[in-house]
Each structure stands twice: as C-alpha cells, then as structure tokens.
Amino acid sequence: MKIDKNCVVELDYKLMDLNNQIWESSDEGGPWVYLHGHGELMPALEQALIGKGIGQKLKLQMQPEEAYGQYEADLCTQVPREAFAEVQNLTEGMRLAAENQDGVHAVTVKKITDETVTIDANHPLAGQAVKVEVKILAVRAASDEEIAHGHVHQQGTCGH
Ligand SMILES: [Zn+2]
C-alpha cells in the first residue's frame, strides 16, 4: 500500500540540524504513528511521503519556513533577575518552562545580567534549516472513525 490521504503511517525518524546534531528521534520516543493528510507533519515532509511504501527511506532538508519558522526577535523578553531566584544554576542556553497568561511555554535563557534575564520563546530550531530522515515501517488504511476524528486510534479507539 502506498501512502496517500487517510492512511495511517508508522515511521522511524530523525530530526537533525545542519550540523547533524539530533534533536528528536524514534530511538528515544519510539516510532511515530500519524494520519496522513491531516496536517500532523510539516507540509513538505507530508508531501514527500505521498506514494511511498513500506521499507522506503527518505531524506529531506527543509528551510526554516518549512520547519519551525523564522526567528522572531519579538519573542525575546527581559524579566527581572529576581523572578529566577528559585532556579538553580541559571545559565545562558538553559531551557526552562515559563508561565504566562497563555499557559506554560518552553523558553531558552538567552542572556543573564545582574538585574535582568532575557528569555527567548522561539523554538530552538527557529530560523534554521533542518534535516529529516524517515523510514516507513507500516502503512494501512485509516478506519472511518479515525478519519472522522482526524487522528490515529492506536488501541482501536481514543475514548471519545
Ligand atoms: Zn479519536
């Protein structure tokens, strides 16, 4: 079976930056199972997978706008240093969970001075081209229910 809209696809994957540093991979989290054609993947990757079948491998390089978007300087904020009084070993480059009115976000500590800390809410790969390597492990037709819900039901149902 070849990948097309409304197939359930299982992939081994690796997400790397252009220095070949691995950011995410199925070696850690297990294979990635998704419903094709419902916007779960980066569009360029989803497009490239159409017509491929089990056992096929794909390597793709994507520009920032096809991956995590451009770097937005607006997403950097200066916060009084006291706000981080409880964080142990605060260092530049550290990833933290920060809370604002929209909920909890992962941020990066960009700059530390005696009075302020600059935090950056951009995705760490924003503004960077990325490389994705995938291997197709399984392809099956989605059930009507999965298509109606727009996601995969791994254990036969999702409970709603
Ligand atoms: Zn469901």
Side-chain angles (χ1 to χ4, degrees):
M1 179 163 196
K2 301 294 180 203
I3 297 175
D4 206 343
K5 189 170 163 68
N6 296 329
C7 283
V8 173
V9 182
E10 190 174 336
L11 299 174
D12 262 342
Y13 70 97
K14 243 186 242 174
L15 172 69
M16 290 168 289
D17 60 28
L18 296 190
N19 299 318
N20 293 321
Q21 185 190 340
I22 296 174
W23 285 78
E24 268 182 46
S25 97
S26 45
D27 292 342
E28 292 152 32
W32 188 5
V33 184
Y34 78 97
L35 180 60
H36 193 90
H38 290 257
E40 288 181 61
L41 298 191
M42 296 167 186
L45 177 58
E46 193 159 58
Q47 191 63 36
L49 281 162
I50 293 173
K52 302 289 190 295
I54 293 171
Q56 280 190 274
K57 293 178 187 174
L58 211 66
K59 281 187 191 180
L60 213 64
Q61 184 170 321
M62 288 182 284
Q63 292 310 305
E65 59 273 16
E66 297 173 309
Y68 292 95
Q70 295 297 344
Y71 186 86
E72 292 179 53
D74 290 1
L75 294 177
C76 292
T77 340
Q78 272 195 4
V79 185
R81 177 95 196 230
E82 302 91 84
F84 295 89
E86 286 171 22
V87 180
Q88 306 254 323
N89 307 319
L90 191 70
T91 44
E92 291 177 2
M94 192 178 191
R95 300 276 292 156
L96 291 172
E99 213 174 337
N100 67 7
Q101 60 273 24
D102 309 320
V104 177
H105 300 271
V107 299
T108 307
V109 176
K110 200 175 162 68
K111 192 158 187 269
I112 305 173
T113 70
D114 288 344
E115 275 100 48
T116 62
V117 176
T118 306
I119 55 170
D120 182 352
N122 282 285
H123 188 280
L125 288 168
Q128 291 192 49
V130 297
K131 294 196 286 190
V132 178
E133 283 183 27
V134 302
K135 184 184 177 195
I136 300 157
L137 301 177
V139 184
R140 66 167 169 86
S143 70
D144 291 344
E145 197 185 40
E146 286 173 318
I147 293 165
H149 287 190
H151 57 229
V152 174
H153 292 170
Q154 296 248 41
Q155 314 294 337
T157 178
C158 63
H160 58 225

